[in-house]
Amino acid sequence: MKNRTLLMIPGPVEFDSEVLAALGAPTASHVAPNFIEIFGQALEQMREVFICPDGQPLILAGSGTLAMDSAGANLIEPGDKALVVSTGYFSDRFGKILERYGALVTYISSPVGGRPSLDEVEKNLKTGDYKLMTVTHVDTSTGVVNDVHSLAELALHHGPLVVVDGVCSVAGEELRMSEWNIDLALTASQKAIGVPPGLALLMISPRALAAFRARKTPVMNYYADWSNWLSVMESYTARKPAYFATPAVNLVAALNVSLAQIIKEGMQARFQRHAAISKACKAGIGALGLGQVPLRSEFGANTMTAPRYPVGVTGTDFLAEVTRAGVILAGGLHPLNRSEYFRIGHMGAVTIGDILTTLAAIENALAACGYPFEMGTGVSAALKAYYSR
Ligand code: PMP
């Protein structure tokens, strides 16, 4: 019997075998010519994946929270005003980080599963003199996707830097940094980028870099200070050795392989694949009679789905049964309703086969929990949604 489960949480996700092979290759010196070449290529490929030809990429050893911390530490000075467009737990985390560096933060929130309207955001932008606005592209606690393009367009008229938390979106949801005037986008390796956890990735626009260079006060974080990292990234890009702190050599090698795979697939094709797989998953969930956390279907992300438990089914029983069927799913995360829903991640190397397996495991668990429905309904709806494209 196969002793392997299918990991379908919203990160970490299942990884491609070539990426894992790169991770397992002998570790090079961080200043060896072969590694310098790999690091340089990874930085160049990041520009293509973030669709930001003139951006400054940073690859740091750390998780997505470090990427957020680095953005806050380097762009905020005490007393700066910041606007957080909140769609859940991770949006609020960004606010807390900015506050830690002395920002005066205004949060625009909405009920769980909703998102602040463009009108509301514009009203706030008009009245406040904001240095920076954060937008969580997909808040993984709710599965809500923000309209980053329109929000960035509003910001362009009112001046703040636009910082996008793309941890659950970059390389899965459509994000065109330069074209949409995004000043900083960040992510982590373990989601749609398709590399095991351990890398924080940032792409900094020329405007954000200028704002950093115009700082009057020192950066209050030693490791994340861009002054320590910019010359390192420039050196690797110029294929020269450099050191500030030891890079995660094996993870960078794996990243370089994954970025090449992403670029080979093509960004547009990749966005479309994520959309098609998401549509199939959501059709399956809907056919089983389960609601979803996003309050409107257009609020639902392409990288994950957040179904609500039907009446009579509890998370502990349901998730244990899903695991028994060989699939790992995540429970709810939003502090206001975490016991009411579960989360399915579908990003990176995900296939329609993974979605069908997941839906089969969900059906199995629902049946074990006594929920009445016709077996096969969810799988069948997903298949139809996927192949009737
Ligand atoms: N932002 C979002 C949208 C996330 O989904 C996560 C992780 N789930 C983070 C930030 C934090 O990333 P990490 O756990 O890698 O620190």
Side-chain angles (χ1 to χ4, degrees):
M1 201 175 85
K2 178 168 81 70
N3 180 22
R4 190 169 65 83
T5 49
L6 183 64
L7 185 60
M8 294 295 287
I9 65 174
V13 301
E14 291 273 323
F15 301 116
D16 182 87
S17 55
E18 281 179 31
V19 172
L20 294 175
L23 193 68
T27 304
S29 155
H30 58 290
V31 288
N34 63 331
F35 180 68
I36 292 173
E37 180 58 32
I38 285 171
F39 206 130
Q41 286 178 11
L43 290 164
E44 283 157 6
Q45 295 197 101
M46 265 180 70
R47 290 202 182 99
E48 289 186 58
V49 170
F50 284 70
I51 320 186
C52 191
D54 60 351
Q56 172 61 57
L58 293 189
I59 301 174
L60 307 180
S63 79
T65 306
L66 175 75
M68 299 161 82
D69 202 27
S70 162
N74 288 277
L75 291 177
I76 289 294
E77 293 188 71
D80 283 343
K81 291 175 75 184
L83 187 64
V84 169
V85 179
S86 178
T87 41
Y89 176 86
F90 288 105
S91 313
D92 292 341
R93 173 177 292 188
F94 220 155
K96 297 273 175 301
I97 289 171
L98 302 182
E99 282 169 2
R100 186 65 66 91
Y101 292 110
L104 308 169
V105 179
T106 301
Y107 297 80
I108 319 180
S109 301
S110 51
V112 181
R115 64 187 194 195
S117 72
L118 293 176
D119 280 353
E120 249 177 299
V121 174
E122 184 160 39
K123 233 178 266 165
N124 266 278
L125 285 172
K126 270 185 188 154
T127 54
D129 181 22
Y130 296 108
K131 159 102 173 272
L132 181 153
M133 172 173 93
T134 64
V135 179
T136 310
H137 198 171
V138 174
D139 198 304
T140 319
S141 69
T142 56
V144 168
V145 63
N146 255 313
D147 180 355
V148 170
H149 191 184
S150 303
L151 288 167
E153 218 162 75
L154 287 182
L156 194 62
H157 294 123
H158 299 280
L161 295 166
V162 179
V163 173
V164 174
D165 171 353
V167 172
C168 195
S169 84
V170 171
E173 298 283 349
E174 182 169 15
L175 180 66
R176 299 180 180 279
M177 255 192 89
S178 294
E179 199 182 313
W180 295 359
N181 293 296
I182 310 296
D183 294 296
L184 187 147
L186 59 89
T187 190
S189 49
Q190 74 269 19
K191 303 208 188 199
I193 288 281
V195 177
L199 292 178
L201 308 175
L202 294 99
M203 185 64 68
I204 309 164
S205 76
R207 195 166 86 113
L209 213 49
F212 162 70
R213 292 200 163 115
R215 288 181 68 95
K216 294 188 176 62
T217 57
V219 172
M220 295 308 286
N221 180 320
Y222 185 72
Y223 179 81
D225 187 343
W226 293 349
S227 315
N228 291 324
W229 288 110
L230 287 170
S231 62
V232 173
M233 301 300 148
E234 280 159 14
S235 293
Y236 277 114
T237 308
R239 305 301 193 264
K240 290 188 185 132
Y243 170 75
F244 164 61
T246 309
V249 171
N250 290 56
L251 281 168
V252 174
L255 174 70
N256 195 35
V257 170
S258 194
L259 292 174
Q261 289 178 348
I262 293 168
I263 292 164
K264 187 165 175 221
E265 180 176 10
M267 296 314 296
Q268 191 58 30
R270 193 169 175 92
F271 299 145
Q272 281 167 355
R273 176 168 61 82
H274 280 80
I277 281 180
S278 173
K279 190 174 150 214
C281 184
K282 288 173 173 61
I285 291 297
L288 291 171
L290 274 57
Q292 291 176 41
V293 174
L295 297 175
R296 290 176 28 192
S297 63
E298 69 266 31
F299 294 176
N302 287 333
T303 48
M304 63 174 289
T305 300
R308 294 185 155 279
Y309 296 118
V311 175
V313 174
T314 65
T316 339
D317 296 343
F318 171 83
L319 291 173
E321 289 295 341
V322 173
T323 303
R324 265 159 48 90
V327 176
I328 310 292
L329 297 179
L333 184 62
H334 199 291
L336 294 180
N337 69 341
R338 59 190 312 157
S339 64
E340 296 172 13
Y341 68 101
F342 62 100
R343 297 175 301 146
I344 309 166
H346 32 75
M347 55 195 135
V350 66
T351 65
I352 183 64
D354 296 336
I355 294 299
L356 299 177
T357 305
T358 303
L359 284 166
I362 288 171
E363 292 197 17
N364 192 57
L366 288 173
C369 292
Y371 176 66
F373 70 103
E374 193 182 332
M375 268 282 185
T377 315
V379 172
S380 164
L383 267 172
K384 283 181 195 145
Y386 190 75
Y387 287 106
S388 65
R389 282 180 295 148

